[in-house]
Amino acid sequence: MIKWKKAAAVLLSALSVFSFAAAPISNLNVSAKQADYVEQFNDLSRKTIVLDSSKGADEEDVLKAINQLGNSMTGRTLKLVGKFTVTQTWRLRRSNVIDATDAVISGNADIFLSSYDDDNITVKGGIWNLGSASRLAKISTSTGSFVFDSMTVNGGGDFEYGVFMISNVGADNFGVSIQNCKFKNIKSQAVFVYRSKNINLVNNSFDNIDGHGIYVYSSENVNVFGNKMNGIRGDAVKYCSSKNVNISGNNIQKVTRHPKLDIDPLRTTSRSGCGLLISECQNIKVGKAYVYNGKTYEGNTVVNCENYGIHINLSDNTYVDKSVFTDIGSDGIHNSASSSTTIRNSTFKNCKEKGLFFIPGPVDSVKEKLRNCQNAVISGNNIDNCGSFGIMLSKTKGTSLTQNTVKNCKDYGIYFNECENGKSVDDITINTKTSKGSGIGNNNSKNIVIDSKLTLDKTSLSLGKGESYSLQTTNNTVKWSTSNSKVATVSGGKVSAKGNGTAIITAKTSSGKTATCKITVRSAPDWVTISKKTLTLGVGETYQLSAAIPSNASAAVRTFRTSNSSIVKMTKTNWQGQFKAIKPGTAWVTVRLYNGKEASCKITVKKAPTWVTVDKKVINMKVGQTSTLSATIAKDAGCATRTFRTSNSSIVKMTKTNWQGQFKAVRKGTAWVTVRLYNGKESSCKVVVS
């Protein structure tokens, strides 16, 4: 530490050298603990000024240094080292550069950092521990540039606006960048942007936020790239009355409703809990490839949201591309009263309600002519297991659907409700497991052109006389016909075999597209046999049985069942019977045909084997000779499959590998033949070929 005498000498020297610069150090009250920092200010060749709390630096030093740097020390960096306490707002000045990489900054000030009218400010690093009613920063009414980089922000909140508030900031070529920062355990919005432009939030993480993660209101060019958001109680990203936005490369997980945010006055419940909320906005791009600082950001992943994956409301030209929505509590995308929405190349899986839902806006909040969703494009999406409907369009106008795949929906893959002027549903693939057996549904819609890629689940099928089978199609509006009603009839896709011979079943769309299935009807089988009559398994073992019928008969469906699923549990029941041994006991696996013919196999389940041994430990052979190995397990254990293998097939080649191991000596050498059970138990024999 510099003593008073030395400090005085430094001051006198500085005053004489820098008198033309209004003596920058004159604003500092020199004390013993400040003297060496004063010396740093006077040395203009030193680009970094260090304030170290372990050497006595405190908040007053920081405030004086910030003022001094902002007034006359452009181009120099203030580096904070150690622990500092914030009791009053640190007002940043023009061209301030603060490096807090090696600092921990804590306190209970209302706002830790602020800037009004000033610009060209950089703050980097630091652990910022906010009090329960503290905010990190408020940046307002500036047209310059700001960078906040690699800051860790803990706590803060209990107020309406975010711990990081940006208000009336940005110009055509300037704005704010918040990048590589971590926001944790915050009880309000993390970042709030109001009436600003050119804001970039890049590669930040948001964990345990009790409010919206990012809330943007009445702003322009506020871009969100590569952020990770987990445990958001509100909406992860919310845009209102904003335009020209890019949202790409973000990973959003576990978003729940906030009981006090966005209350629906009609239902008195919160409308939050969305991955993304876009309300009254224009030109929002979600997931579209965008290059920022040399890195490409594309798509978004939204997982486990209590409400919607994306809620688009009263917004024009929203574009969603290459994004994934999984385990969504309501609709994957809920679009109300928005025009020119494009949703393409995205995946929707396990959405509790609907994959995509387009719906009119409420009468009391939207002009009548703007109530309906118009001119939407839905293309190239994959929708799986999404509630009642994969895609539901209600009172939409001019929607185009192309090349989507929809499957495993409870009611309809696509449903039109009172829609108008729907454009072609071209080359849509729908494979739905539906209670109504339908791919596409239509309720009082006008001018809907359905021109799907038409396929059937079978192109040929053999039935027994009297048997029926329901063909599945990708379009439920087709008309069905048969080439020979004496052989087979069809109604709604259900084919009934009437007499021996062949018939062609045809499905045809209104536009003339067709798909066919060749039906061959043969005699009804008068018997069926099963591939095993008795079988002994070990607990945990799996096995498969097959069934045979007379060669001159047919049966399209052969159904297997178990007499006791607690002993033998079926894993596949159609055509081939696959099952697993659950616990010791006896059960019957039975195959049944459509006309009641049956055959059964008695299954005895014993405990799993704990060992296995082969009947020979060493075998000496000559080239060309063959030999056989068998395996033994404990009498109270079971095992239906014993697989043999060789360690070197160029010396010993297996000729039989199941239950008994048969093999042939191929050339001189040594190999091992090993038997292995279903549960990994093994035993080996050494084979020496001379």
Side-chain angles (χ1 to χ4, degrees):
M1 185 68 65
I2 300 175
K3 296 183 178 180
W4 273 104
K5 186 177 293 185
K6 183 177 180 181
V10 170
L11 280 171
L12 291 173
S13 175
L15 287 170
S16 62
V17 174
F18 296 108
S19 58
F20 68 91
I25 59 170
S26 63
N27 293 325
L28 291 172
N29 295 321
V30 180
S31 65
K33 67 183 180 65
Q34 295 172 341
D36 57 341
Y37 307 132
V38 173
E39 185 176 25
Q40 293 181 67
F41 274 109
N42 284 284
D43 183 1
L44 293 181
S45 66
R46 185 174 296 186
K47 295 299 182 183
T48 301
I49 299 167
V50 180
L51 292 179
D52 189 338
S53 65
S54 68
K55 296 181 179 179
D58 58 17
E59 181 180 29
E60 291 303 318
D61 297 309
V62 174
L63 291 172
K64 292 172 183 176
I66 288 173
N67 286 329
Q68 194 72 8
L69 288 171
N71 290 334
S72 59
M73 299 295 181
T74 300
R76 304 178 76 184
T77 296
L78 174 63
K79 183 173 179 59
L80 305 181
V81 178
K83 297 181 179 180
F84 293 87
T85 299
V86 180
T87 62
Q88 55 186 306
T89 299
W90 295 3
R91 169 74 186 275
L92 303 179
R93 303 295 183 180
R94 181 181 299 274
S95 301
N96 276 169
V97 178
I98 299 175
D99 182 355
T101 301
D102 300 318
V104 176
I105 301 158
S106 307
N108 289 294
D110 176 34
I111 300 173
F112 277 33
L113 304 172
S114 71
S115 175
Y116 298 90
D117 301 322
D118 289 308
D119 50 35
N120 300 324
I121 292 169
T122 298
V123 180
K124 179 180 180 181
I127 297 175
W128 302 76
N129 296 321
L130 279 59
S132 61
S134 298
R135 285 177 279 182
L136 173 67
K138 181 178 180 181
I139 310 301
S140 181
T141 60
S142 295
T143 58
S145 62
F146 298 81
V147 176
F148 297 89
D149 188 8
S150 303
M151 304 170 71
T152 297
V153 184
N154 297 312
D158 289 337
F159 42 81
E160 183 178 0
Y161 302 113
V163 295
F164 205 121
M165 182 178 179
I166 301 168
S167 174
N168 295 288
V169 173
D172 289 342
N173 298 312
F174 301 96
V176 177
S177 175
I178 301 175
Q179 59 194 32
N180 308 312
C181 294
K182 298 178 180 179
F183 295 88
K184 300 180 179 179
N185 305 323
I186 294 171
K187 293 184 178 181
S188 73
Q189 283 74 250
V191 177
F192 180 67
V193 181
Y194 177 71
R195 291 187 177 178
S196 297
K197 64 192 307 185
N198 298 332
I199 312 299
N200 296 305
L201 295 102
V202 186
N203 297 335
N204 303 290
S205 66
F206 299 81
D207 291 300
N208 191 25
I209 310 298
D210 194 22
H212 304 309
I214 298 171
Y215 185 9
V216 180
Y217 185 82
S218 191
S219 297
E220 182 177 355
N221 297 333
V222 180
N223 303 309
V224 177
F225 299 132
N227 298 280
K228 295 181 179 179
M229 314 185 83
N230 183 42
I232 310 297
R233 200 171 179 215
D235 299 316
V237 181
K238 178 176 180 178
Y239 282 85
C240 294
S241 303
S242 299
K243 61 182 180 179
N244 302 331
V245 169
N246 293 277
I247 308 169
S248 291
N250 301 286
N251 190 310
I252 298 171
Q253 298 188 40
K254 196 177 181 181
V255 182
T256 57
R257 298 176 191 266
H258 195 294
K260 297 181 181 180
L261 290 177
D262 302 326
I263 302 301
D264 186 334
L266 299 177
R267 300 181 182 178
T268 66
T269 58
S270 172
R271 290 176 290 197
S272 62
C274 301
L276 303 175
L277 187 144
I278 300 166
S279 182
E280 300 185 57
C281 295
Q282 295 181 2
N283 304 326
I284 308 294
K285 296 179 178 64
V286 180
K288 189 172 183 179
Y290 192 93
V291 178
Y292 178 80
N293 283 347
K295 182 177 179 179
T296 300
Y297 296 89
E298 188 174 34
N300 294 280
T301 299
V302 181
V303 180
N304 192 12
C305 293
E306 185 178 356
N307 201 356
Y308 306 126
I310 302 181
H311 186 185
I312 304 170
N313 178 57
L314 291 168
S315 296
D316 296 336
N317 300 316
T318 300
Y319 182 98
V320 181
D321 191 17
K322 295 180 181 177
S323 295
V324 177
F325 303 87
T326 307
D327 297 329
I328 306 301
S330 186
D331 305 326
I333 293 182
H334 184 93
N335 190 358
S336 56
S338 299
S339 64
S340 301
T341 299
T342 298
I343 301 171
R344 61 192 299 271
N345 303 326
S346 295
T347 298
F348 302 83
K349 188 171 183 179
N350 300 335
C351 300
K352 190 173 181 180
E353 297 296 331
K354 306 167 189 70
L356 301 174
F357 188 23
F358 284 55
I359 187 173
V363 176
D364 59 349
S365 63
V366 186
K367 293 180 181 179
E368 183 66 26
K369 65 178 182 178
L370 300 177
R371 284 192 62 222
N372 298 332
C373 296
Q374 302 182 43
N375 302 324
V377 175
I378 303 173
S379 175
N381 301 290
N382 191 316
I383 301 171
D384 184 8
N385 192 33
C386 291
S388 298
F389 306 100
I391 301 172
M392 182 174 180
L393 306 177
S394 181
K395 299 183 179 180
T396 63
K397 297 181 179 181
T399 302
S400 173
L401 297 97
T402 60
Q403 298 180 334
N404 300 285
T405 297
V406 186
K407 58 185 180 181
N408 301 329
C409 300
K410 293 179 182 178
D411 291 327
Y412 293 96
I414 301 176
Y415 192 81
F416 297 93
N417 177 53
E418 299 183 20
C419 299
E420 295 183 23
N421 302 318
K423 297 179 182 179
S424 64
V425 185
D426 183 33
D427 292 334
I428 287 181
T429 301
I430 303 175
N431 176 20
T432 56
K433 293 180 180 178
T434 67
S435 60
K436 298 180 181 179
S438 304
I440 300 176
N442 188 348
N443 174 47
N444 197 29
S445 296
K446 301 176 181 178
N447 302 321
I448 300 297
V449 179
I450 298 177
D451 191 19
S452 299
K453 179 180 180 181
L454 185 62
T455 60
L456 301 178
D457 65 325
K458 298 286 185 182
T459 56
S460 63
L461 187 64
S462 292
L463 300 177
K465 187 176 179 180
E467 188 175 12
S468 62
Y469 184 91
S470 292
L471 291 170
Q472 300 295 312
T473 176
T474 54
N475 189 331
N476 77 310
T477 63
V478 298
K479 292 183 178 180
W480 296 91
S481 63
T482 177
S483 65
N484 191 336
S485 60
K486 293 182 180 180
V487 174
T489 60
V490 61
S491 176
K494 184 178 180 180
V495 179
S496 299
K498 298 298 183 180
N500 291 6
T502 60
I504 303 299
I505 302 299
T506 301
K508 186 176 182 179
T509 68
S510 58
S511 63
K513 287 189 176 182
T514 61
T516 61
C517 178
K518 181 181 178 181
I519 303 296
T520 301
V521 179
R522 306 167 100 180
S523 300
D526 52 15
W527 54 261
V528 61
T529 61
I530 200 163
S531 54
K532 293 281 186 181
K533 294 294 185 181
T534 62
L535 195 61
T536 301
L537 303 179
V539 170
E541 187 174 7
T542 59
Y543 200 85
Q544 180 170 291
L545 291 172
S546 59
I549 61 175
S551 60
N552 65 341
S554 289
V557 179
R558 308 173 187 190
T559 304
F560 290 79
R561 66 181 187 276
T562 175
S563 64
N564 191 330
S565 59
S566 67
I567 296 174
V568 174
K569 182 179 181 180
M570 302 304 301
T571 55
K572 186 177 181 182
T573 60
N574 192 19
W575 197 258
Q576 287 185 325
Q578 290 181 352
F579 48 90
K580 184 176 183 179
I582 304 301
K583 69 177 183 178
T586 302
W588 294 82
V589 171
T590 301
V591 60
R592 181 181 177 90
L593 306 185
Y594 73 93
N595 61 349
K597 303 299 180 182
E598 293 184 344
S600 299
C601 174
K602 181 181 179 182
I603 310 294
T604 301
V605 179
K606 296 183 177 182
K607 71 178 185 179
T610 58
W611 54 265
V612 60
T613 181
V614 290
D615 58 339
K616 303 179 186 70
K617 292 299 183 182
V618 179
I619 298 177
N620 293 295
M621 303 177 67
K622 292 184 178 181
V623 172
Q625 288 184 332
T626 61
S627 188
T628 301
L629 274 179
S630 60
T632 303
I633 62 175
K635 291 182 179 180
D636 60 349
C639 179
T641 305
R642 307 173 188 190
T643 305
F644 290 79
R645 67 181 188 277
T646 175
S647 64
N648 192 329
S649 59
S650 67
I651 297 173
V652 173
K653 183 178 180 180
M654 302 303 301
T655 57
K656 185 177 180 181
T657 59
N658 192 19
W659 198 257
Q660 283 190 326
Q662 292 181 353
F663 46 91
K664 183 177 181 179
V666 179
R667 67 177 178 86
K668 183 179 177 180
T670 301
W672 293 83
V673 174
T674 301
V675 61
R676 182 182 177 89
L677 306 186
Y678 72 92
N679 61 351
K681 304 301 179 183
E682 291 184 344
S683 181
S684 300
C685 172
K686 181 179 180 181
V687 181
V688 180
V689 180
S690 60

